[in-house]
Amino acid sequence: MYGDDETIRRILTSTGNTWAVVGLSNNESRAAYGVARILQRYGKRIVPVHPKEETVHGERGYASLADIPFEVDVVDVFVNGALAGQVADEAVAKGAKAVWFQLGVVDEAAYERTRAAGLDMIMDRCPAIEIPRLG
C-alpha cells in the first residue's frame, strides 16, 4: 500500500546512490546497522545521521540531515514513528529525491506531504529485503 514495486525499483536503481541513514549508530544489534551494511554491498554510499555523529561502516556521521555538506539522494529513516514525519520534512528541505520509512514506520500525513513535494516515498518496507526480491 505504501510502495509499489515500480517506485521501490526506481529508488533502488536510478534515484541515486547516496543514502542518509537516519538513526544509524555503531550499535550492531539495531536493524539500521545491518541494513546499512547491505546497502553498501549493493553499491550505495551510506551517510550515518545520529546525534552522536559516529563513523559507521567507514563513513563519517552527521548530527542531522542539515549538517551533511553534500547532496543526499535517499533518506532512509530508522527512528520512532512519532519522529519520522519530522525527518521526512527535513529530507524535503535537504533536497532529497526519496524518503524510505523502515518496517513498522507509517505516517500517512508525512507520506502525503512528501509526495506533494515531489519526492518518491516508501513506508513500512525494508530495502535490505526489497533489493534481493526485485533483483
Side-chain angles (χ1 to χ4, degrees), residues 109-131:
Y111 183 86
E112 294 302 323
R113 288 192 311 273
T114 303
R115 296 289 294 133
L119 283 70
D120 278 334
M121 185 163 181
I122 303 295
M123 293 195 301
D124 196 26
R125 303 290 277 274
C126 179
I129 294 169
E130 301 301 328
I131 289 172

Side-chain angles (χ1 to χ4, degrees), residues 2-133:
Y2 302 115
D4 59 275
D5 284 353
E6 179 182 327
T7 303
I8 291 170
R9 186 173 281 110
R10 181 172 52 250
I11 292 171
L12 292 173
T13 62
S14 62
T15 296
N17 288 325
T18 302
W19 285 53
V21 184
V22 179
L24 176 58
S25 70
N26 279 307
N27 183 342
E28 295 180 22
S29 67
R30 301 296 306 249
Y33 188 87
V35 170
R37 174 62 79 198
I38 290 168
L39 288 168
Q40 281 185 318
R41 283 190 200 130
Y42 281 92
K44 307 300 181 190
R45 176 186 183 192
I46 57 113
V47 182
V49 179
H50 191 280
K52 293 181 182 177
E53 299 181 46
E54 296 176 316
T55 295
V56 183
H57 300 311
E59 294 286 348
R60 177 180 176 218
Y62 297 88
S64 71
L65 288 173
D67 291 338
I68 300 171
F70 48 84
E71 290 185 12
V72 169
D73 300 309
V74 181
V75 175
D76 193 1
V77 182
F78 282 92
V79 298
N80 173 309
L83 303 174
Q86 176 183 336
V87 175
D89 295 339
E90 292 169 5
V92 170
K94 177 70 180 163
K97 299 171 189 159
V99 175
W100 193 302
F101 282 6
Q102 285 296 317
L103 292 171
V105 181
V106 174
D107 181 331
E108 292 181 11
Y111 183 86
E112 294 302 323
R113 288 192 311 273
T114 303
R115 296 289 294 133
L119 283 70
D120 278 334
M121 185 163 181
I122 303 295
M123 293 195 301
D124 196 26
R125 303 290 277 274
C126 179
I129 294 169
E130 301 301 328
I131 289 172
R133 183 180 76 81

